[in-house]
Amino acid sequence: MKSTRKLVIVFGILLGLGACGLRPYIFHGTLIQSPDPVPDFTLLGHMGQMVSLNDFRGQLVVLYFGYTVCPDVCPTTLAELRRAREVLGQSADQVQVLMITVDPERDTAEVLADYVTHFDPTFIGLTGTPDEIAAVATYYGVFYERREEEDSALGYLVDHTATQMVIDQEGHLKVVYPFGTSAEDIAADLEYMITH
Amino acid sequence: MRIFSGSRIFLLLSITALLAVVSCQAVPAGPQIVYRDVWGPTSPKSVANGAVYLVIENKGSEADRLIGASSPVAETVELHEHFNEDGVMKMRPMDGLDIPAKGTRMLKPGGYHIMLIGLLEPLEAGNTISVTLMFEKSGEIALEAEIREL
């Protein structure tokens, strides 16, 4: 009787531990289960070279849409992504950050080159014609709109969706993060995607 | 005797009046602006814009309003706010920012900020820049912002 009780307790503990190990990983952003890889795109990279999304198959790509005149939200996001790579340490070379400008008129390859590398020398800035950029942004559900601001010396501002998207090693859109997601949370997810 | 008592009353009145003046000075009416954590992020060389953030506190009993700012390092300085509308980040210039009595306003990334437009030189880590804030009632307040990595 006594040994049966012991057995039940041991079994219960094992069951508990097992369930613990089987608990699915919870991502810090919105998990997307895209059945097919996302379509490829090719835009002008900040070094003057053509860059395609498919160049980074086998790596994780973090995609961000922003613009360099944006003094606040874009630098904050890029600084968090730099910190996320710092948290990853060695694994960071499995992660490529791409920033696509929503202000191609002002953001030439030269401007982007200085801007993105200010945050991290591995970041790549992408520009193109307004139509090329619109096509990519529309696919990812990224909204952006130029607003004339007569009251500002900036002339015009660009409202834009400030999400960050992760495309996994096989080209599937995997996670979307809202503005303000911490470097630690993003790094934890990237680490999970690298090791699983 | 009557004269003496009269001067006594006068003395008492004088002391009371003096006390009233002193206590009045201890708790002044109107806004009382204090600030802390004044900083700005470093700027990429190709970008001619920057931002300054700080915490503004009004310890006074009357509201005030931040109505402008200037800095020798930028051609134009504006007040802007960022707000999140269904995931879309929008930035707008503002006429001013109310600082309520006994209230605190945080100017921070992703929210209110002082925007430096047309930087005369890039903002580099470790440097400090001068910024003058203009308040409706408190007038001009000069401060130094520390430049650091975002």
Side-chain angles (χ1 to χ4, degrees):
Chain A
M1 193 62 194
K2 219 173 181 184
S3 67
T4 314
R5 196 187 287 169
K6 240 182 210 166
L7 202 71
V8 168
I9 291 170
V10 169
F11 185 72
I13 289 170
L14 283 176
L15 201 72
L17 285 175
C20 220
L22 289 174
R23 197 170 56 192
Y25 179 78
I26 296 167
F27 282 85
H28 296 86
T30 306
L31 196 60
I32 310 281
Q33 308 280 12
S34 72
D36 299 312
V38 294
D40 194 20
F41 61 77
T42 302
L43 291 168
L44 177 64
H46 72 248
M47 303 284 280
Q49 79 288 29
M50 295 313 285
V51 174
S52 298
L53 179 65
N54 286 352
D55 297 346
F56 306 104
R57 275 290 166 91
Q59 282 179 287
L60 296 172
V61 171
V62 182
L63 196 60
Y64 179 66
F65 292 80
Y67 68 118
T68 66
V69 170
C70 162
D72 188 75
V73 167
C74 303
T76 303
T77 303
L78 292 176
E80 286 298 315
L81 292 176
R82 176 193 63 216
R83 266 198 286 278
R85 287 187 82 255
E86 284 167 4
V87 172
L88 285 172
Q90 286 279 309
S91 311
D93 57 15
Q94 300 291 308
V95 177
Q96 178 62 58
V97 173
L98 302 179
M99 172 175 148
I100 299 178
T101 181
V102 290
D103 186 9
E105 192 178 313
R106 286 190 283 217
D107 291 344
T108 60
E110 294 75 29
V111 171
L112 281 171
D114 176 55
Y115 187 77
V116 297
T117 57
H118 173 81
F119 296 96
D120 188 317
T122 71
F123 287 2
I124 297 176
L126 299 172
T127 187
T129 65
D131 286 347
E132 287 169 339
I133 287 165
V136 181
T138 303
Y139 179 81
Y140 290 96
V142 167
F143 168 87
Y144 63 101
E145 185 178 56
R146 180 179 156 148
R147 277 181 58 96
E148 304 303 322
E149 285 291 351
E150 284 169 12
D151 294 341
S152 173
L154 291 171
Y156 68 91
L157 297 168
V158 187
D159 295 342
H160 65 97
T161 309
T163 50
Q164 302 127 71
M165 285 143 280
V166 179
I167 296 154
D168 73 9
Q169 296 92 331
E170 283 81 44
H172 294 271
L173 178 59
K174 187 82 178 177
V175 202
V176 178
Y177 299 106
F179 170 72
T181 308
S182 77
E184 289 70 24
D185 286 352
I186 294 173
D189 290 359
L190 295 175
E191 182 70 50
Y192 178 82
M193 284 183 265
I194 290 166
T195 52
H196 286 77
Chain B
M1 205 51 189
R2 275 173 79 178
I3 294 165
F4 179 65
S5 95
S7 65
R8 214 168 155 187
I9 288 166
F10 179 74
L11 194 72
L12 203 70
L13 255 174
S14 305
I15 290 168
T16 314
L18 202 70
L19 274 173
V21 168
V22 167
S23 67
C24 179
Q25 273 173 346
V27 188
Q32 192 190 347
I33 300 293
V34 295
Y35 57 86
R36 61 179 185 273
D37 305 335
V38 192
W39 71 284
T42 57
S43 72
K45 284 181 204 71
S46 65
V47 175
N49 306 310
V52 171
Y53 306 106
L54 74 156
V55 178
I56 303 173
E57 196 182 339
N58 183 358
K59 287 181 182 286
S61 54
E62 196 184 333
D64 204 344
R65 188 172 165 82
L66 177 63
I67 50 171
S70 65
S71 173
V73 304
E75 287 167 14
T76 312
V77 181
E78 296 177 0
L79 299 176
H80 283 218
E81 70 171 324
H82 252 124
F83 54 95
N84 189 332
E85 209 173 271
D86 302 328
V88 178
M89 292 308 294
K90 301 185 173 187
M91 185 168 87
R92 298 281 180 272
M94 302 167 75
D95 297 337
L97 176 64
D98 287 324
I99 318 289
K102 306 278 179 207
T104 302
R105 287 286 197 186
M106 307 254 294
L107 282 73
K108 60 177 188 194
Y112 301 119
H113 56 277
I114 292 159
M115 183 146 181
L116 308 171
I117 300 169
L119 285 174
L120 304 176
E121 54 191 72
L123 304 177
E124 288 175 2
N127 291 356
T128 53
I129 58 166
S130 302
V131 179
T132 302
L133 302 184
M134 276 158 291
F135 291 89
E136 207 167 67
K137 290 170 189 146
S138 302
E140 292 191 354
I141 295 178
L143 36 92
E144 297 280 308
E146 182 199 335
I147 304 303
R148 57 177 196 243
E149 291 281 344
L150 194 65

